[in-house]
Amino acid sequence: MDYTAITQDGRGVILTGLKNFQLDTILDCGQSFRWEKNSPESYTGVVFGRQLTISQHQDTLVFHHTTLEDFHNLWHSYFDFPQDYFQLQERFCQDPTLSKAIAFCPGMRLLRQPPWETLCSFIISQNNNIPRIKGIVSRLCETFGNTLAPGVYEFPSPETIATLALEDLAPIRAGFRAKYLLDAARRVADGRLDLASLYTVDLDQARQQLQTILGVGPKVAECVLLYGFSRWECFPVDVWIRRVLDRYYPNGFPHTLAPWAGIAQQYLFHYIRHLPPQDGAGATQ
DNA sequence: AGCCAGGGTCTGC
DNA sequence: GCAGACCATGGC
C-alpha cells in the first residue's frame, strides 16, 4: 500500500506516509480534465456526484470534508491505491527510457475514472489541446450538469445529452465534435452501447464496440479503455507518444511490459511533454 | 498568418 | 487498403 496510516479529523480523511503519489502530476497530466488547481498543493473537482477538495503536503494527503466511507468506497479506487506502484516502478526501471521518465515524475498514478465522462472527455480531446479540452468539458458540465452547490456541477448524464439538439451544444464550443457527443449519448441512452459490459468483455470486442460511436477511432477508444475502464494494457498513441516510440523504441515497446503498457505510457507522456524542445523532438506548449 | 493540438470521417484511387 | 482534404476552435 502506498500509504501507512489513515485517520480522520475536523478537516476530513487524512493519509500519512504517502509514497509514489504527487497530486499535481496526477491531476495535471492529460488523463482527467475536471480538476481545478486552487494552489500548488490543492485541487478541487467533481466525481461520482461529489465535490472533493484534496491537498498534499509532502507525504500527507487530505481529502477535505470527506467521510471514511466515501474514501473507502470511492476515492481509494479512484486514485488507484489498490495498485502497488513500487513493484510497478521496479519493473519499468529495467527499461532505460522509462527509468528516466519515472525519475522525472515518480508520483504519477493512473486514475480509475467513471466510463461515461471519460468517453466524452476523450471524444472532445481529438485534434485538440489540453487547455481547450478543459474549457469545453467545463462548459458542458455547467450548462447541462446537475447543480450540486452554487458553481459546482456534475457531469451531465447520457440521458440528458441524448435529448439535446446539435444547436443546443453550440455554447459549449466543441466544434465538429458536438455531433460526436450526441451520437455517443444516444447510443448509451437507448442501450445500443452497454458501457458497463466493457469492463469484462474481450478487449478487442470492447475496442470494436466503442468504435461504433461516430468520432471514436482507435486512439480515443484506447484512452477510454485505459482511463475509464482501468484496462492497463491499453496504449494510446498520440503525437507525443509517437515521438517517444520513434525515438526511444524503434524496435517496439517491450513485450514484458505489455500488461501495464498504458501506465508506462502515462510516465512517458508526461516526461516527453516536459523535456526542453530540442530534447523532446521539437514541439511547443 | 500559419501551425499545432491526447484524431476521425469521407472521398477518390 | 491507403493517401489527402476537411473538420471548429483558440493559443502561440
Side-chain angles (χ1 to χ4, degrees), chain A residues 145-188:
Chain A
N146 294 326
T147 303
L148 290 177
V152 182
Y153 307 97
E154 285 188 82
F155 200 94
S157 69
E159 291 75 17
T160 296
I161 297 179
T163 63
L164 301 176
L166 196 54
E167 55 265 32
D168 296 328
L169 284 171
I172 304 309
R173 284 175 282 160
F176 59 86
R177 308 162 191 87
K179 57 180 175 291
Y180 302 158
L181 291 174
L182 286 187
D183 187 61
R186 288 169 182 166
R187 284 175 186 274
V188 172

Side-chain angles (χ1 to χ4, degrees), chain A residues 237-274:
Chain A
V237 179
D238 72 330
V239 294
W240 295 94
I241 293 297
R242 185 75 261 158
R243 290 172 192 141
V244 171
L245 292 177
D246 290 345
R247 177 164 177 178
Y248 299 107
Y249 300 97
N251 301 317
F253 194 73
H255 291 99
T256 53
L257 301 180
W260 313 276
I263 302 178
Q265 174 269 153
Q266 201 63 35
Y267 289 98
L268 294 168
F269 180 74
H270 198 250
Y271 177 55
I272 193 77
R273 280 174 56 91
H274 292 267

Side-chain angles (χ1 to χ4, degrees), chain A residues 55-178:
Chain A
S55 60
Q56 178 176 10
H57 307 271
Q58 298 174 3
D59 69 343
T60 299
L61 194 60
V62 181
F63 296 77
H64 296 267
H65 312 297
T66 304
T67 61
L68 279 172
E69 187 181 359
D70 271 2
F71 174 77
H72 285 119
N73 291 338
L74 304 173
W75 306 120
H76 184 266
S77 164
Y78 182 80
F79 287 99
D80 202 23
F81 281 113
Q83 184 132 233
D84 182 349
Y85 276 76
F86 183 79
Q87 186 183 23
L88 212 50
Q89 291 188 7
E90 269 201 334
R91 290 181 192 279
F92 289 166
C93 280
Q94 294 177 9
D95 175 85
T97 304
L98 268 170
S99 183
K100 286 180 200 165
I102 289 168
F104 178 75
C105 51
M108 178 63 76
R109 306 177 77 85
L110 269 281
L111 297 171
R112 302 188 189 217
Q113 303 179 63
W116 168 243
E117 63 179 75
T118 304
L119 172 58
C120 290
S121 297
F122 283 93
I123 285 174
I124 291 166
S125 78
Q126 76 166 59
N127 198 24
N128 213 339
N129 56 64
I130 291 173
R132 204 168 82 92
I133 297 164
K134 286 183 179 173
I136 294 169
V137 170
S138 172
R139 288 189 291 275
L140 182 65
C141 294
E142 70 187 57
T143 309
F144 301 111
N146 294 326
T147 303
L148 290 177
V152 182
Y153 307 97
E154 285 188 82
F155 200 94
S157 69
E159 291 75 17
T160 296
I161 297 179
T163 63
L164 301 176
L166 196 54
E167 55 265 32
D168 296 328
L169 284 171
I172 304 309
R173 284 175 282 160
F176 59 86
R177 308 162 191 87

